[in-house]
Amino acid sequence: MQVDQAYRLNKRASDQRWSARNPDYWNNYRENNPDYTRSNREKQRYRNRRRRAIESISSEIAKLDALSAENSDISGTYAMISVQDLLIAKMDAKIVKITEVSMGCA
């Protein structure tokens, strides 16, 4: 599915045709499965909170060209602390908090 664009397009078209033939399916499903509906809404609220937290952090992240003459010296010893409660879109990426450590503590 990930590499075959024709398959994805056919799948999307098929899903759209099915949805057009069954317009009330999801309303009926939610009505007949209140526990699932409640659980799904709680999970969506949780995902929304995490997304907002990530967005607030990413607005503080420096861009590649953020260094200026004033702050170009960033040498030092730092500790990287993993932020486990935040999920991001890339599976191989990690968000960390970097804190400067004085040389006496290293």
Side-chain angles (χ1 to χ4, degrees):
M1 242 178 105
Q2 293 179 359
V3 295
D4 188 348
Q5 183 178 8
Y7 178 85
R8 285 193 313 271
L9 293 173
N10 287 333
K11 173 86 169 88
R12 183 183 308 152
S14 173
D15 290 347
Q16 288 173 344
R17 287 190 303 270
W18 182 89
S19 186
R21 287 190 312 269
N22 301 281
D24 295 328
Y25 176 82
W26 291 111
N27 288 334
N28 293 336
Y29 185 87
R30 285 188 290 272
E31 185 177 312
N32 294 326
N33 297 278
D35 291 338
Y36 170 82
T37 302
R38 181 179 31 74
S39 173
N40 188 52
R41 287 182 179 152
E42 289 171 4
K43 289 175 185 176
Q44 185 61 53
R45 282 189 210 99
Y46 176 71
R47 289 188 297 265
N48 291 344
R49 281 194 303 272
R50 278 194 331 212
R51 180 183 44 78
R52 284 190 295 272
I54 291 168
E55 287 172 354
S56 70
I57 288 173
S58 67
S59 68
E60 300 171 4
I61 295 176
K63 304 221 183 298
L64 290 174
D65 60 352
L67 290 179
S68 66
E70 299 169 6
N71 63 359
S72 62
D73 183 13
I74 58 171
S75 60
T77 304
Y78 297 89
M80 291 176 55
I81 302 164
S82 178
V83 182
Q84 298 295 335
D85 59 338
L86 297 176
L87 296 178
I88 55 179
K90 290 190 159 256
M91 292 173 56
D92 60 346
K94 186 176 256 330
I95 294 177
V96 295
K97 176 181 178 184
I98 300 176
T99 308
E100 188 170 10
V101 178
S102 68
M103 292 304 283
C105 296

